Amino acid sequence: HQLVEPGIDQGVLISTYLGLILMSGALIAVGVAISSLFRNQTAAFFATLGALLLLWLIGIPSEAAGSLGSKLLMYLDFRSHFYNSLFRGVIDLADMVYYLSLTALALFLGALSIEIRRWR
């Protein structure tokens, strides 16, 4: 009855879907970039898994500290850009720039890796 009476908050729904799309694009782009470095699929899988796990958990040790290095690690943390704003219904430009720039950088590095391998 609670879902019908007040209704679903459309702002939270749209921002969460936007965050999932941006996060999925960045995850796929990082996977493409890392897999372009390997010839073996198994090695590419484990390297991608390690890199994505690192991006997902990099901010956990720095949550308690307050130094400049910990702020950098908190900015690089993949999950904080989603759960701190987009998941709560806040569309923050900094989070969108993070995901879009990570996607563009990973796709650029993947294309560069393939081009370097092609011209050798």
Side-chain angles (χ1 to χ4, degrees):
H1 187 278
Q2 289 179 347
L3 289 177
V4 177
E5 186 69 27
I8 297 173
D9 188 5
Q10 298 296 319
V12 174
L13 186 71
I14 290 172
S15 71
T16 303
Y17 278 141
L18 177 66
L20 285 174
I21 290 169
L22 290 172
M23 188 169 29
S24 299
L27 289 171
I28 291 169
V30 169
V32 166
I34 292 175
S35 69
S36 72
L37 300 173
F38 292 92
R39 293 188 188 272
N40 187 352
Q41 293 176 353
T42 307
F45 168 74
F46 284 112
T48 302
L49 182 66
L52 293 178
L53 194 60
L54 177 73
L55 281 174
W56 192 266
L57 300 175
I58 198 168
I60 289 177
S62 63
E63 286 176 353
S67 66
L68 179 63
S70 66
K71 288 184 180 181
L72 176 66
L73 292 179
M74 284 299 294
Y75 180 75
L76 293 176
D77 188 21
F78 205 79
R79 63 186 169 83
S80 68
H81 288 282
F82 178 72
Y83 287 113
N84 291 342
S85 61
L86 292 168
F87 186 68
R88 295 183 179 172
V90 178
I91 298 177
D92 191 8
L93 185 62
D95 298 329
M96 294 179 66
V97 166
Y98 171 76
Y99 286 125
L100 290 174
S101 63
L102 181 64
T103 303
L105 178 67
L107 289 176
F108 173 73
L109 291 176
L112 186 67
S113 170
I114 291 172
E115 288 296 320
I116 288 172
R117 184 180 296 170
R118 189 175 79 157
W119 287 103
R120 282 188 181 179

